[in-house]
Structure formats: structure tokens, C-alpha cells
Amino acid sequence: MSPPFIANADVSPLIASSPPEIGRVSTVYSQVQAHRIDQPLPFPSVLKNPFKILDGPPTSAAGNPDEIAKLFPGLFGQPSARLAPSDSSSVQVNKKLKIGVVLSGGQAPGGHNVISGLFDYLQVHAKGSTLYGFKGGPAGIMKCKYVKLTGEFIYPYRNQGGFDMICSGRDKIETPEQFKQAEETAQKLDLDGLVVIGGDDSNTNACLLAENFSCFQIRSKNLKTRVIGCPKTIDGDLKCKEVPTSFGFDTACKIYSEMIGNVMVDARSTGKYYHFVRLMGRAASHITLECALQTHPNITIIGEEVAAKKLTLKNVTDYIVDVISKRSELGYNYGVVLIPEGLIDFIPEVQQLISELNEILAHDIIDEDGLWKKKLTTQSHHLFEFFPQAIQEQLLLERDPHGNVQVAKIETEKMLIQMVETELEKRRQEGAYNGGQFKGQSHFFGYEGRCGLPTNFDSTYCYALGYTAGALLQSGKTGLISSVGNLAAPVEDWTAGGTPLTSLMDVERRHGKFKPVIKKAMVELDGAPFKKFSALREQWGVENQYISPGPIQFVGPASNVINHTLLLELGAQA
Amino acid sequence: MSPPFIANADVSPLIASSPPEIGRVSTVYSQVQAHRIDQPLPFPSVLKNPFKILDGPPTSAAGNPDEIAKLFPGLFGQPSARLAPSDSSSVQVNKKLKIGVVLSGGQAPGGHNVISGLFDYLQVHAKGSTLYGFKGGPAGIMKCKYVKLTGEFIYPYRNQGGFDMICSGRDKIETPEQFKQAEETAQKLDLDGLVVIGGDDSNTNACLLAENFSCFQIRSKNLKTRVIGCPKTIDGDLKCKEVPTSFGFDTACKIYSEMIGNVMVDARSTGKYYHFVRLMGRAASHITLECALQTHPNITIIGEEVAAKKLTLKNVTDYIVDVISKRSELGYNYGVVLIPEGLIDFIPEVQQLISELNEILAHDIIDEDGLWKKKLTTQSHHLFEFFPQAIQEQLLLERDPHGNVQVAKIETEKMLIQMVETELEKRRQEGAYNGGQFKGQSHFFGYEGRCGLPTNFDSTYCYALGYTAGALLQSGKTGLISSVGNLAAPVEDWTAGGTPLTSLMDVERRHGKFKPVIKKAMVELDGAPFKKFSALREQWGVENQYISPGPIQFVGPASNVINHTLLLELGAQA
């Protein structure tokens, strides 16, 4: 895959002569960071040459199309857009545009490249345009807090990790007042378009904004501001046929896999520890599954499977202990266990306990004598007592501002270590286990992966997403999510276009009202990645087929490898 | 630094036709691992061409030379050895040798390359020699458990992390019976030499073995087995003028720095967390200092400075809170704090509490009502109550087989987060702090760094150490530590030789007897690395000069960068 085009080179990159007011300065960069800025990246041919926009057939919704049609009267049913080669550009070139861009939700490697791709599109195809970066996420739109993005300002962020160019936030634009604030900002800045870079919730929000800006049926005005979304999340749970992956997933999984691989070699070298690694990823287990495919751990728990098979915590513990016993018979008193942070969400008994606790804690005092426990159902009481003390404390003490248990803060890896210890001891007493001593080491890999330097794949993918978003806006499109496809092919052959956000939507009933949602893509148990994993996991359990992927490389061997999940889903890997 | 020599290519690397009985198979490697095996590495010229051994002047000891002389009557005072170019090799070539090699203590990236360097030396300079790998550390010597190392067996481990080729262990050869076992093994295998790859304790042990094998004054026999040590430890606390660094330090620090850099970008992007990162390194703070120089965190605690200034835990907490307050005034409610795992060892009040606890727990029962606490001194009682509950529990529950508190298991990072929270709340109550909310996130980076793929530096350095160890053994040397120097110069100009282990030694009085020890190299407060850090840390505290080193690269930019500590100590960096 020779890079025929330097993705960042069609606008002269400028080194800031004086440090910009706020922002990074590339002069303090590490050698690797500095090299990344100017590293040539390949670029889809369709974006390189003159193109036109082709519309597809009308679309529907992922579920409940009638309700979605009611919720999005202006946007529902619109066609997908596809960029196709053209002798001359069909879009209205040379009209200067005013575009806003916002990062929404958690960090994911590559966000800066979406912005630089968008910026470069405007430089090439709508010279003299203005790009506003809304600061701190959607709140920046509502409060009209922005920075005017220039080539100089953007330069140090090219191919770099993090979201700190304009930062992000988790606010949502939901109430009529908030929509009004967004409208005011759009009017004040005379915005032709807005690009929302975010996950499932943020893209749902983007679609509501698009509808709100454009739909004269609901409001008496028709704003010219068009809205395009971009698929972001390391969790990998925002994807569909047209949007094969969310950006950041590739980089985050490779960073975690590097660390897992190192820990595996350590386990095998030391010969005495079981490393329990909890991995970020919210409810979905995509990250855990991908890391398993990259590294071949002895034990991997996939939340979606636990849910589908209705496994209890005892079942999960027994499964782990069974593998440990088998390994001990083979002489291996060490291993690596991967656990998705969402696991706890998938175990009905735990969910039940948490909801009872939320109820009790909202109204009662937790007395030291434990009288409050009588308010638990018998099953929840047993489960609570079954937990190690540290987990009991996390359940009682780690609460969010609404008083609810913070599930993500529960150290499931430590919980499982203690439960495995107890079960092994029980089996030893019963004579059912006479293997080596069990020593658990716990890890949580999360923050290390959200802001790493994006891989070549994420850098290239993000740049193309941003570039495509620019093309869609300039073509007058709204309510689409930037869609770059054919990702198993050489970058030159990648496709670009936009998919109606309404076509990804279903409704959920909340407080008696229908709310539109983009359904989270969970691990499919009949999907290719899970099937490959489940065909191999028994072997990985007892044999040691560890793979150490090593650190992400930006040049040379393995630098252009794409993650297993994506390749398997695209059918490009057996 | 163009590689004129392929370090691994002078013996034809063979791909195992069938998997060896025990060991790795390169066919299941990741692309990066596979590429590493055959990657050409530069090689010191002196090892490439015919060489002779030159002896230096007689040596003494690091302290108490009279006692060391008594403890090592056979070895004390022997000269250093230096390899020098020669028209023809002065060593007795073509005599087949029988050599043993052992990995001792904790994992460090590069251990496999020491072995492959040694193996290749024997292949080139003593064809037909036999290399035995003792399995599981010094216990393998005592039990005569070994694997015969062949080119085929070693091949998949070249330039790979981990110690699993022959594994390691923490046993020591100490008692007369154990020395006898080692002798028996040496005799049984007819060993001409033994290479001990280990840290300060293991090299002390290596010297005792060398003395024992060679010294006819103490024992009536004179074994031909010579012993050479190699400097291993990620902690960086085994070094001196002749041995500028221990292997593994470079790789481990770069892995931790990658992760710290990622967390820094996350902190800046999110804008709401203080990440407290505890780093491995045992008592010494070299790793923490090096990571600080690579990444520029806001706050770095150096254990040796805490000790020198006799700081209390309250002082350390106040320092952290002061920086947090200053940052909050500047609008930064986030940051990164580095903490060496040895910190707790350096605070006299904590040491006092732990020793009182060890005493109490050895004899008393910990009653739930806390009556046992009355046995603590007032100061220790206060300190114990000052600790958050989780730390109290760690102090009471996490005990080693001898019943002692396991200092390394104390989660200092969580302890400091809680103490900072408390102090900030106190200041807020007093009106002395009115900044943003403080949210701490804790991390421990340790196991991720001990078995990573060795950097180009560690790969090259280790290979040269092993190759040199072979040369020293063949020249009849014993009781030396393999010494590769001039490391700031291009690899071609590196020097090679051996330093008498006795010259690194001092004595410690234990149980009324003098015991020889290689003094741990701690962070020197007047050394160049600390001085550079201390000149910059104030700036790093309030400004955000974060550097994200990114993942270790094996080819291209930054792939041959050497760590700051080594370069500064060699005077090669301002």
C-alpha cells in the first residue's frame, strides 16, 4: 500500500511562529509525535479526484419506522449519499462556508484527524471558508464557546491522540431551551454546517439537531445549518453495514493488546500468577473480544454470551476455576483472564441487587449493624454476602450524583479473583482440586488507550471521515453520518458517502414517550469474530498460544495491519 | 547508525521444523514479533573482529576492602578485563566449552538476547560447545534441571521479551549444602563456565559461587567452572562507572512512559481528573525519574529526596495539594502525578508504623474493637488512624508468609488520592482553597513493562553483554560482571570487558556477621538526571508541557533513542 498522497500535505502545514493562545506547540513533541505530524498517509482515490454525489434509494429505520417518521418528519426516508468520480465537481465550489465542529463524549484516538480532514476539505474545495471548533463538547454549542480553527492552530494536532484541540464534553442538547440556544449559536455564527463527532447518543442528538434546524413543520423557521455526524467510540458499539467501524477502536484495542501481550509473557516467565485484566468498553464486549483475538488469553468472558446463556456469577466463577484446574493438571499455575467492564451489567442477579441497593440507599440509612440488609430480597442478600468486603464497600460507597451505584467503578477483576480463590479453596477442601497455589494480579486497562497516538488505520480513516463530512455539507446534505467503507481494500479503493442517521434508529419508550435511539451494536454471538473466538478458546485455555502483538508501529512491518474484528466482519479474514 | 552487522545472522537462524518439546514456536508470532527475530542490529566493532583480553590494574572494593578481601580471598583485587583489537585472537579458540546460563530474579526485557549473544559467541569462537540453560533460576543449578540450548531452540526468542526460554526464580545459593549442590551440578555437567544474569543480589551470589568454585583455600578442591555475571534489572539500581546501566531499564521506562503519555493527553482532553500513577522500581526511584524526564508530569515524587529531606507523609501530601491549588488558579483541574512504589520505604514514620505492626501482628490478635491499637506508639497510632480504611486493611491483611506487611502491595497511589482529597476539603473549609472539584484516578504500571519486546538499545546491549560474557569465560576469567561501555557513542564504538564483582562490593552486618553486598545504586540528588528534573519540575507543575513519547518504535524515527538517565549520566545530554 504505497502512499501516493500525503494526507496532510495539500495545505502547506505551518509551524506556529509563536505559540497560539491556547493549544499545543509541536516544538515540545517527542520524536515519534513529531514524526507523526508529517507522516504521509494514503488517501481514498474518490476523495482525491473530482467527485459528484449520487443518491441511493429511500431509506427506512432500524426499527419502528412509523415512530421514527413521526419523530423526524423532515429527515425520515432520505437516501444515502455516495461520492462517485466525476469529470468536474458537481458541488457548488468556491462558495465560502462557515462550518462548526464539535467533539462529543469520551476520547477516542483519531478525533483530531477528523477535524483536520474537514479543515483540509474546506481549504481545497471551499477556499476562504471558516471552521469553528466548539469547545468542551455540546455545551460549547449552547454557550457559543468556540475557537476559530486555522491551519497553524491545527497543525500540531495532525495524527496525534487526544481531544484537547477543542476538548469534549458529555452534555446533551435535549430541552427546547437547549435547542434554542443551539439555534442562536448557528444563527450568530451564520453556520452553513455542523459536524458532530461522537458515539451513538451524540449521533442521535446530531440527528435531532439536523431535524430541528431544517424542519419548518415543527418550528416556523428553516435554518440553513446542516448537520453531519461522524462515528466515534473506542467501544466499537456504533457500527452498521454502511459504517463498518467507529474510529478509535483500532488504536485502543492495539494499545490494550500490547499490554496484555506483555503481561502474558510475564505470566509465562514467572509461572505463578493469574492476571485478571478488566478492559474498558462500556456494556459491549467488542474490545475484550478483539483483544482476545489479538493475544489468545486462557480465559475470556464475553458479556453478551453471559447474558444470552443467562449465566450467574457462580457459573462464571466455575468456568474460570475449571480452566484453572485443567491448567494446573498440565503444570501451568499461571494464566491471563480478560473481563469486559460491562460484565456486571449482564448478570441478572447482580442487576437485581444493584437496583435494590439503589432503592434502599435512596431512602434508608445504612446502619453499621447491617439491619438495612433485611430490606434486600433473599437472593440479593445472599449475593451481597457472597461478595468480598471490598466489593461490598464499592457497592455501598461509590455512588454517582444521583445516588446510584457506579457500575463502571466496581472492580470486577478483583471481585472475580476473590471468588475464584474461595471456590478453589472449597474444591481443595473437598479433594476436587490439588493443584498449585492460586495468585491473582488485577489490572484495569482503560485510560491508557483512549488518547494514544492513532494507528495508521485510525489516522487515515478519521481523515477520510472528516474530509467526507466536508463534502456532504458542501453538497447540502444533512442528517447523515459520514460513511467510509470498503475498508478491507487498499485505502485508494475505500468508498465515501453518508448514511441517513434515521436509518440507524429505533425507538425506546422512556417515561411514556418514544425516544429515538441508535441501537448499540453488541457482540453478535453468530458473528464472525465471536465464532472464530469460540472455535479457538478451548485450545487457548489449556495450551499456551499467547501472542504478544508488541507496541503499535507507524512504519515498517505490521504498521498497516487492521484489527481482527473489522476484517472478520468484512469477511476479509478466515 | 547504519547496521553493518546482523547480530543474529552469523549463525544461520533455523525455523524449527517441528515444535521443540518445550518452548516457543515462532509460527504463532505477531507480525512485530516475527519481524524482530531477524531484524538486523548493530554490533560493537571490538566483538566483530579478532580481539585479545587486556588486564587493568588491581582493584579494591566499594567499601570495607579488608572485609571483602577476607570474604573473597581467591578473587579480591583481581584486575578488570578489557577486550582490545588484535591481529589474531589470543584466547584459546576451537576448544569446545561447556557453559551453563541462568536467569535470576525478576523479569527484564532483553534476557533472551544475553543468552543468544552467549550462544552465538560459542558458535563462532568455540564451535561444538554446549550451552545448558538452567531452568527456573538458581534452583535449576542446585537441582541440576536444565535444557540443552540449540540454535533451533533459541531462535524464536531472539529479540523477544520475557524470561520464558528457561524461566527464572528467586532462590539463592547460600547454605553450605546449596553450594555443594551447585558444585555437584558443575561437576556432573563438566562445566567450564556459568553465566548468571541477575540483579545486585544475584551478582553477589554469582561472585560467591565464583569464589567457592575457584578457591582452594576454603575448600580442598578447585573446580574449573568460572562464573561471569550480567547486569539485569528494570529498576536501574545496579550500575557503576564500568557498568553504566542494567538491561531492561530502557525498555520498561519507555513502556511506562508510553502509557503515562497517553494518560496525560487523556487528562488534558477530559480536563477533570488527576491521574496518580505508581511505578514499579522497588526501593529506588530511577524508573519514576526517567519517566518524568520522558513525559513531564505535573508532580513527581522521588523517594530518595523524601528520605534526604526527611519529609513526612503530611509534607508529601501538602506538596501535591499546593501544586493542585496553583493549577486550579490557572484553570487546570487535572494533572498527572508519578509515585515510585518504594516511596513508602522512605518515610520514617511509615517505616516505624510498619515495624510496630509487624511486632504486634506476630504476637497479638487484632480485635475488632481496636484494643490492639493501644499497643502502637502515639505517633504510629495517629498515622494509622490518618490512613484511609482501604490502606488500614492492606496494612493488616496483606502479609507475606513470614507475617510481615507487604510494602509493595500497599496501593500508595490510592492512599495519596484519599489524603489529597481530605487535605483539599480541609483547605476548602478554611477558605484556603476554592478551586475545582478534585477527582483522582489511580494506576499501577508494573507487570506491563517487565516483559515487553526489548527496545533496539536493550536488544543490542544484551546481545553484546552475552557475547562478552562468552569471551570472558573463554579467556579463563571468573568473578567478573560483563561490562559493555561507551554507550552514548555509536554501537560500533561500544567497549566490552569485565569488572571484578568484588570491586562493586561492600559489607553489611547481619546477625553479627559481615555479608557482602553490591550496594544498590539509588537516585543521586546531585546526579545529572535528578538535577535536570529538579530544574524543570516547577515549570512542569504549573504549565502543561506534557510529552507523549508514543509506543516504542523498532524502525524509523526514535527507534534508536536511548533513555535520558543513561545519556545524562554519561554526560551526553545537556
Side-chain angles (χ1 to χ4, degrees):
Chain A
M1 203 157 31
S2 67
F5 182 87
I6 299 175
N8 299 316
D10 57 340
V11 288
S12 336
L14 301 162
I15 294 176
S17 48
S18 60
E21 202 194 340
I22 313 153
R24 295 198 195 180
V25 191
S26 61
T27 47
V28 297
Y29 271 3
S30 70
Q31 278 196 40
V32 175
Q33 282 181 299
H35 176 254
R36 284 302 282 166
I37 295 187
D38 301 309
Q39 189 166 340
L41 291 173
F43 193 57
S45 306
V46 72
L47 298 177
K48 216 184 310 178
N49 304 311
F51 52 78
K52 57 187 177 196
I53 303 269
L54 298 180
D55 284 338
T59 60
S60 180
N64 291 294
D66 295 348
E67 297 302 330
I68 296 296
K70 273 186 236 161
L71 289 162
F72 297 94
L75 295 178
F76 180 79
Q78 70 166 326
S80 288
R82 186 166 64 81
L83 273 63
S86 163
D87 289 341
S88 63
S89 187
S90 63
V91 296
Q92 201 189 342
V93 282
N94 297 329
K95 193 197 160 222
K96 292 179 191 175
L97 297 173
K98 288 175 183 150
I99 306 288
V101 62
V102 69
L103 293 163
S104 183
Q107 280 67 36
H112 289 149
N113 267 29
V114 180
I115 299 175
S116 55
L118 174 61
F119 179 83
D120 290 357
Y121 179 87
L122 297 175
Q123 293 295 300
V124 172
H125 296 280
K127 210 156 186 71
S129 292
T130 308
L131 183 60
Y132 299 101
F134 289 107
K135 291 170 74 174
I141 302 176
M142 296 187 276
K143 296 179 195 159
C144 200
K145 273 186 70 179
Y146 61 88
V147 57
K148 221 165 133 179
L149 298 174
T150 62
E152 214 178 31
F153 188 84
I154 285 177
Y155 178 68
Y157 297 92
R158 287 176 184 267
N159 300 330
Q160 308 292 316
F163 271 13
D164 51 306
M165 188 205 288
I166 53 176
C167 290
S168 179
R170 295 189 181 273
D171 304 271
K172 282 182 193 169
I173 300 171
E174 286 183 312
T175 66
E177 295 72 39
Q178 289 171 328
F179 276 111
K180 188 143 191 305
Q181 288 176 319
E183 271 175 31
E184 282 165 9
T185 295
Q187 282 176 315
K188 186 175 163 194
L189 297 181
D190 190 30
L191 288 188
D192 296 290
L194 172 67
V195 175
V196 176
I197 304 167
D200 51 347
D201 281 350
S202 307
N203 274 289
T204 304
N205 217 219
C207 195
L208 287 167
L209 265 183
E211 180 71 26
N212 189 272
F213 286 163
S214 70
C215 186
F216 57 91
Q217 290 150 299
I218 293 171
R219 306 182 67 82
S220 57
K221 53 200 152 200
N222 189 351
L223 267 182
K224 69 168 175 176
T225 316
R226 297 175 287 274
V227 185
I228 298 292
C230 282
K232 171 233 72 169
T233 170
I234 62 164
D235 305 328
D237 58 2
L238 169 57
K239 59 182 169 188
C240 60
K241 194 167 159 283
E242 297 80 9
V243 182
T245 190
S246 58
F247 77 78
F249 176 75
D250 187 74
T251 307
C253 289
K254 284 175 183 160
I255 291 173
Y256 301 142
S257 294
E258 174 199 357
M259 290 157 67
I260 294 165
N262 289 356
V263 163
M264 281 171 163
V265 179
D266 199 292
R268 180 158 53 187
S269 297
T270 314
K272 62 181 180 187
Y273 291 117
Y274 270 91
H275 293 269
F276 283 59
V277 181
R278 178 169 49 117
L279 290 160
M280 242 186 202
R282 294 196 305 175
S285 299
H286 295 291
I287 288 180
T288 300
L289 180 57
E290 172 62 26
C291 291
L293 291 167
Q294 286 192 29
T295 64
H296 305 184
N298 305 109
I299 297 165
T300 307
I301 311 294
I302 299 296
E304 289 85 342
E305 186 184 25
V306 169
K309 296 187 175 168
K310 298 194 169 52
L311 301 181
T312 63
L313 215 45
K314 178 79 173 69
N315 296 147
V316 173
T317 308
D318 280 343
Y319 167 64
I320 298 174
V321 171
D322 288 346
V323 177
I324 290 174
S325 301
K326 252 182 256 165
R327 290 180 60 75
S328 191
E329 281 166 27
L330 296 166
Y332 307 134
N333 289 303
Y334 62 87
V336 174
V337 184
L338 302 189
I339 305 152
E341 73 171 352
L343 172 62
I344 209 143
D345 279 332
F346 283 113
I347 302 179
E349 57 186 322
V350 179
Q351 283 302 83
Q352 175 64 26
L353 169 63
I354 288 172
S355 96
E356 288 179 32
L357 282 175
N358 283 341
E359 191 63 26
I360 292 171
L361 289 161
H363 303 104
D364 296 289
I365 288 160
I366 300 300
D367 56 300
E368 288 214 0
D369 297 333
L371 289 174
W372 66 272
K373 290 182 198 165
K374 296 198 175 158
K375 300 203 176 81
L376 292 169
T377 58
T378 314
Q379 182 199 297
S380 291
H381 192 172
H382 278 164
L383 183 63
F384 188 81
E385 298 293 351
F386 180 57
F387 282 137
Q389 197 185 340
I391 301 296
Q392 290 185 358
E393 279 171 18
Q394 279 168 12
L395 286 169
L396 295 179
L397 302 175
E398 297 281 1
R399 318 195 69 75
D400 71 12
H402 309 288
N404 291 324
V405 174
Q406 288 189 279
V407 179
K409 284 211 170 178
I410 296 174
E411 296 177 305
T412 336
E413 69 284 15
K414 290 191 180 171
M415 183 178 90
L416 284 173
I417 286 175
Q418 291 213 29
M419 289 170 47
V420 165
E421 262 173 15
T422 309
E423 177 62 23
L424 273 172
E425 193 45 43
K426 188 173 143 260
R427 293 194 190 183
R428 200 189 282 278
Q429 300 286 337
E430 296 167 355
Y433 177 74
N434 57 4
Q437 206 203 334
F438 168 80
K439 285 186 186 175
Q441 284 286 352
S442 63
H443 305 262
F444 172 50
F445 296 161
Y447 295 97
E448 299 83 354
R450 308 194 314 173
C451 287
L453 283 164
T455 55
N456 283 346
F457 172 77
D458 269 329
S459 299
T460 310
Y461 181 56
C462 287
Y463 189 84
L465 284 173
Y467 210 87
T468 302
L472 295 171
L473 283 176
Q474 197 181 29
S475 316
K477 297 291 180 188
T478 190
L480 304 182
I481 185 167
S482 179
S483 309
V484 173
N486 199 26
L487 300 177
V491 176
E492 290 73 17
D493 300 332
W494 285 4
T495 60
T499 308
L501 283 161
T502 47
S503 75
L504 310 182
M505 287 193 191
D506 198 342
V507 287
E508 269 182 14
R509 214 172 164 85
R510 286 185 204 163
H511 308 297
K513 273 190 180 173
F514 282 119
K515 284 201 75 168
V517 288
I518 296 178
K519 240 180 122 66
K520 268 192 213 311
M522 306 302 283
V523 169
E524 304 282 352
L525 301 189
D526 57 358
F530 184 84
K531 275 160 88 174
K532 179 167 184 185
F533 156 76
S534 87
L536 293 168
R537 64 175 148 183
E538 202 167 329
Q539 206 173 324
W540 298 347
V542 287
E543 295 169 29
N544 294 323
Q545 303 197 345
Y546 301 149
I547 292 187
S548 185
I552 291 169
Q553 298 296 293
F554 296 117
V555 290
S559 59
N560 292 319
V561 172
I562 297 176
N563 64 81
H564 295 255
T565 302
L566 178 56
L567 288 179
L568 285 163
E569 287 179 343
L570 295 174
Q573 196 190 63
Chain B
M1 202 158 34
S2 67
F5 182 86
I6 298 173
N8 299 316
D10 57 341
V11 286
S12 336
L14 300 162
I15 293 174
S17 49
S18 60
E21 203 196 339
I22 313 151
R24 296 198 196 180
V25 192
S26 61
T27 47
V28 297
Y29 272 3
S30 70
Q31 279 197 38
V32 175
Q33 281 181 300
H35 176 255
R36 283 305 280 167
I37 294 188
D38 302 307
Q39 190 166 340
L41 291 172
F43 193 58
S45 306
V46 72
L47 298 178
K48 215 183 310 177
N49 303 311
F51 52 76
K52 58 188 175 195
I53 302 270
L54 298 179
D55 283 339
T59 59
S60 180
N64 290 297
D66 294 348
E67 297 302 330
I68 296 296
K70 273 186 236 163
L71 288 162
F72 297 94
L75 295 178
F76 180 78
Q78 69 167 325
S80 287
R82 186 165 65 80
L83 272 64
S86 163
D87 289 341
S88 65
S89 185
S90 64
V91 294
Q92 202 188 340
V93 280
N94 296 329
K95 192 195 162 225
K96 292 180 191 173
L97 297 173
K98 289 177 183 146
I99 305 288
V101 62
V102 68
L103 293 162
S104 181
Q107 280 66 37
H112 289 150
N113 267 27
V114 179
I115 298 175
S116 56
L118 173 62
F119 180 83
D120 290 357
Y121 180 87
L122 297 175
Q123 292 295 300
V124 173
H125 296 281
K127 208 151 188 75
S129 292
T130 307
L131 183 60
Y132 298 101
F134 288 107
K135 291 171 73 173
I141 301 176
M142 295 187 277
K143 297 179 196 159
C144 200
K145 273 186 70 179
Y146 61 87
V147 58
K148 221 166 133 181
L149 299 174
T150 61
E152 214 177 32
F153 188 84
I154 285 178
Y155 178 68
Y157 297 92
R158 288 176 184 267
N159 299 329
Q160 308 292 315
F163 271 13
D164 50 305
M165 189 204 291
I166 52 174
C167 291
S168 179
R170 294 188 183 274
D171 304 271
K172 281 183 194 169
I173 299 171
E174 285 184 313
T175 66
E177 294 72 41
Q178 290 171 328
F179 276 111
K180 189 145 187 305
Q181 288 176 320
E183 272 173 33
E184 282 165 9
T185 294
Q187 281 175 317
K188 184 176 166 195
L189 298 181
D190 190 31
L191 288 188
D192 295 290
L194 172 67
V195 175
V196 176
I197 304 168
D200 49 348
D201 282 349
S202 308
N203 274 287
T204 304
N205 218 221
C207 196
L208 287 166
L209 265 184
E211 179 72 27
N212 190 269
F213 285 162
S214 70
C215 186
F216 57 90
Q217 290 152 303
I218 292 170
R219 307 181 67 82
S220 60
K221 53 201 151 200
N222 189 350
L223 267 182
K224 70 170 176 175
T225 315
R226 299 174 288 273
V227 186
I228 298 293
C230 281
K232 172 233 71 173
T233 168
I234 62 165
D235 306 328
D237 58 1
L238 169 57
K239 59 183 169 186
C240 60
K241 193 167 158 286
E242 296 80 7
V243 182
T245 190
S246 58
F247 77 77
F249 176 75
D250 189 74
T251 306
C253 289
K254 283 174 184 161
I255 291 173
Y256 300 142
S257 294
E258 174 197 359
M259 290 157 66
I260 294 165
N262 289 356
V263 163
M264 280 171 163
V265 178
D266 199 292
R268 179 158 54 187
S269 296
T270 315
K272 62 179 180 188
Y273 292 118
Y274 269 92
H275 293 269
F276 282 60
V277 181
R278 176 167 53 113
L279 290 161
M280 244 187 200
R282 294 197 303 175
S285 298
H286 294 293
I287 287 179
T288 300
L289 180 56
E290 173 62 27
C291 290
L293 290 167
Q294 287 191 29
T295 64
H296 304 183
N298 304 110
I299 297 166
T300 307
I301 311 294
I302 299 296
E304 290 85 342
E305 186 183 25
V306 168
K309 296 186 174 167
K310 297 194 169 56
L311 301 181
T312 64
L313 216 44
K314 179 81 173 72
N315 296 147
V316 172
T317 308
D318 280 343
Y319 166 64
I320 298 174
V321 171
D322 289 347
V323 176
I324 290 174
S325 300
K326 253 183 255 165
R327 289 180 59 77
S328 190
E329 281 166 28
L330 296 166
Y332 306 134
N333 289 304
Y334 62 88
V336 174
V337 184
L338 302 190
I339 304 152
E341 72 171 352
L343 172 63
I344 209 143
D345 279 331
F346 283 113
I347 301 179
E349 57 186 322
V350 179
Q351 283 303 82
Q352 175 65 26
L353 168 63
I354 287 172
S355 95
E356 289 179 30
L357 282 176
N358 283 341
E359 190 64 27
I360 291 170
L361 289 160
H363 302 104
D364 295 289
I365 288 160
I366 300 301
D367 56 299
E368 287 214 1
D369 297 335
L371 289 175
W372 66 272
K373 291 182 197 163
K374 295 200 172 152
K375 299 204 176 82
L376 292 169
T377 59
T378 314
Q379 183 199 299
S380 290
H381 192 174
H382 279 163
L383 182 62
F384 187 80
E385 297 295 349
F386 180 56
F387 281 137
Q389 198 185 340
I391 300 297
Q392 290 184 358
E393 278 170 19
Q394 279 168 9
L395 285 170
L396 296 180
L397 301 177
E398 297 280 0
R399 320 196 67 77
D400 70 14
H402 309 288
N404 291 322
V405 174
Q406 288 188 278
V407 179
K409 286 212 169 175
I410 296 174
E411 296 178 303
T412 336
E413 69 285 15
K414 290 192 179 170
M415 181 177 91
L416 284 172
I417 286 174
Q418 290 214 28
M419 289 169 52
V420 164
E421 263 173 13
T422 308
E423 176 63 24
L424 274 171
E425 193 45 45
K426 187 174 146 258
R427 292 194 191 183
R428 201 188 281 279
Q429 299 288 336
E430 296 167 356
Y433 176 74
N434 56 4
Q437 207 203 333
F438 167 80
K439 285 186 188 174
Q441 285 284 355
S442 64
H443 305 263
F444 172 50
F445 295 161
Y447 295 97
E448 300 84 353
R450 306 195 314 173
C451 287
L453 284 164
T455 55
N456 284 347
F457 172 78
D458 269 330
S459 298
T460 310
Y461 180 55
C462 287
Y463 189 84
L465 284 173
Y467 210 88
T468 302
L472 295 171
L473 282 177
Q474 198 181 30
S475 316
K477 297 292 179 186
T478 189
L480 303 183
I481 185 166
S482 178
S483 309
V484 173
N486 200 27
L487 301 178
V491 176
E492 289 73 18
D493 300 333
W494 285 4
T495 60
T499 308
L501 282 161
T502 48
S503 76
L504 310 181
M505 287 196 190
D506 197 344
V507 288
E508 268 182 13
R509 217 176 161 82
R510 286 186 204 159
H511 308 296
K513 273 190 180 174
F514 281 120
K515 284 200 77 169
V517 288
I518 296 177
K519 241 179 121 70
K520 269 192 210 310
M522 305 302 284
V523 169
E524 303 282 351
L525 301 189
D526 57 359
F530 183 84
K531 275 159 91 173
K532 179 166 183 184
F533 156 75
S534 87
L536 293 168
R537 65 175 148 184
E538 203 167 329
Q539 207 173 320
W540 297 347
V542 288
E543 296 170 28
N544 294 324
Q545 303 197 345
Y546 300 150
I547 291 187
S548 185
I552 291 169
Q553 299 296 294
F554 296 119
V555 289
S559 59
N560 291 318
V561 171
I562 296 176
N563 64 81
H564 294 255
T565 301
L566 178 56
L567 287 179
L568 286 163
E569 288 180 341
L570 295 175
Q573 194 191 63

